[in-house]
Amino acid sequence: MRHRHAAFSSHLVGLALALSSPRAWAQQVSSTLPPYTQRPLTVPAGQLIGRASFGLAASEAPAAFGTTRLVGAGLHFEGQVGLVRSLELSGGFGLRIGSDSATLAADRYGRVDRDEVYQVGNRLVGNPYLRLRWGVFEPSERPVHVGVEATVVTPLASNTVWSVMAGVPVLVVLPAAHLRVETGVFWQFMFSSSAQVRNVLNVPVRVMFQLGPRVALGLVSGVYAANVGAADVSEARVPLGAQAAFRATPNTDVLVQWLYPVMAPYGADAGGVGVTIAGRMR
């Protein structure tokens, strides 16, 4: 017992020293979690990461006399766990605060780095999802990483149906340039021929630059379309936003996102901001 107390005290002293100077703090960061732009495609085996997010959305909609403005807030929670090497399991769900939040699905804006999931509904609870990702090509010494993943979305919200998504995530990491690019191809299929939105094809693009051991900044965009392959296919839509990542502690990142989900072709009639706290729990 005395040995445990001594070991615990030594860890506290080490943490205090790490936080006392920027250089020591940066060394502590690099020895626990890599800089944001050097995160791997999958969570390392045995590692558990929890995410808690807050999203705030606003939109202007046509009304009988001019326009009406909707504003709502939502929460999103997710967990990621590394099962074995290059294989991770994650799952999450959203909560909406008020009717405007449900209409706008405000928790979506808090899903930083999780823009690929659709069919979450427009009610109090955002449909839960479960995702399995395998890093097929995940070499630590190479800049390009490729994986495959499968996601299931459960229809807890009313007027929603079961849906599945298959994806090929692609990660490009260039440490010398302090650059990270996340992209890929994702296809989500809704099990209903009468659903208004189905067969969503999405190609996201997230570009992040590491400005130091504690800060990364970047842009969010891409292209997506609904009802692909059907007569009522939607025109391609382009989101636009910005992201920032801050290392709060050696094991915690704070992610901030500003996003217009349909900058083209509709413009900035709806948008929102989100904040995610992502911490390594094990």
Side-chain angles (χ1 to χ4, degrees):
M1 181 65 70
R2 183 174 301 174
H3 175 72
R4 290 182 179 178
H5 281 295
F8 180 71
S9 300
S10 65
H11 286 305
L12 289 179
V13 171
L15 179 60
L17 291 175
L19 295 175
S20 64
S21 69
R23 178 176 298 178
W25 194 92
Q27 292 174 350
Q28 180 72 6
V29 169
S30 63
S31 66
T32 53
L33 285 179
Y36 183 83
T37 56
Q38 297 181 31
R39 294 178 308 152
L41 182 66
T42 59
V43 173
Q47 190 173 111
L48 174 63
I49 295 179
R51 289 171 169 250
S53 306
F54 172 80
L56 182 65
S59 175
E60 291 186 354
F65 301 97
T67 60
T68 180
R69 186 170 180 83
L70 305 178
V71 178
L75 302 173
H76 186 264
F77 303 94
E78 186 189 80
Q80 294 174 269
V81 60
L83 302 178
V84 295
R85 178 179 173 83
S86 297
L87 183 65
E88 76 166 38
L89 179 67
S90 62
F93 68 96
L95 295 174
R96 288 75 181 266
I97 305 170
S99 59
D100 285 358
S101 175
T103 301
L104 297 171
D107 56 302
R108 172 188 179 181
Y109 296 90
R111 285 194 275 126
V112 183
D113 294 344
R114 297 295 185 273
D115 298 325
E116 296 83 17
V117 181
Y118 290 88
Q119 191 70 7
V120 294
N122 295 99
R123 295 296 186 268
L124 175 64
V125 178
N127 284 339
Y129 62 88
L130 198 64
R131 183 188 70 173
L132 188 66
R133 172 179 283 190
W134 175 35
V136 178
F137 184 72
E138 197 174 8
S140 57
E141 71 282 359
R142 302 283 181 87
V144 179
H145 300 216
V146 181
V148 294
E149 66 178 50
T151 303
V152 177
V153 182
T154 59
L156 288 188
S158 59
N159 299 321
T160 60
V161 298
W162 285 94
S163 65
V164 296
M165 181 172 66
V168 180
V170 177
L171 169 65
V172 179
V173 178
L174 300 175
H178 308 288
L179 174 67
R180 174 188 183 89
V181 179
E182 292 183 70
T183 184
V185 178
F186 301 86
W187 180 77
Q188 186 167 348
F189 174 77
M190 290 70 176
F191 291 98
S192 172
S193 59
S194 61
Q196 184 177 2
V197 177
R198 59 195 184 278
N199 298 355
V200 177
L201 181 65
N202 186 19
V203 181
V205 177
R206 293 186 284 266
V207 181
M208 296 290 287
F209 292 91
Q210 193 78 37
L211 303 184
R214 300 169 62 175
V215 179
L217 297 176
L219 295 175
V220 181
S221 189
V223 61
Y224 67 96
N227 306 339
V228 175
D232 58 343
V233 59
S234 71
E235 56 186 320
R237 303 178 181 183
V238 178
L240 180 64
Q243 283 188 3
F246 305 94
R247 182 61 50 84
T249 74
N251 288 309
T252 306
D253 285 332
V254 178
L255 312 176
V256 181
Q257 175 175 262
W258 158 80
L259 180 67
Y260 287 122
V262 192
M263 176 58 75
Y266 302 125
D269 59 343
V273 296
V275 178
T276 292
I277 298 177
R280 192 173 76 174
M281 304 174 66
R282 186 179 67 187

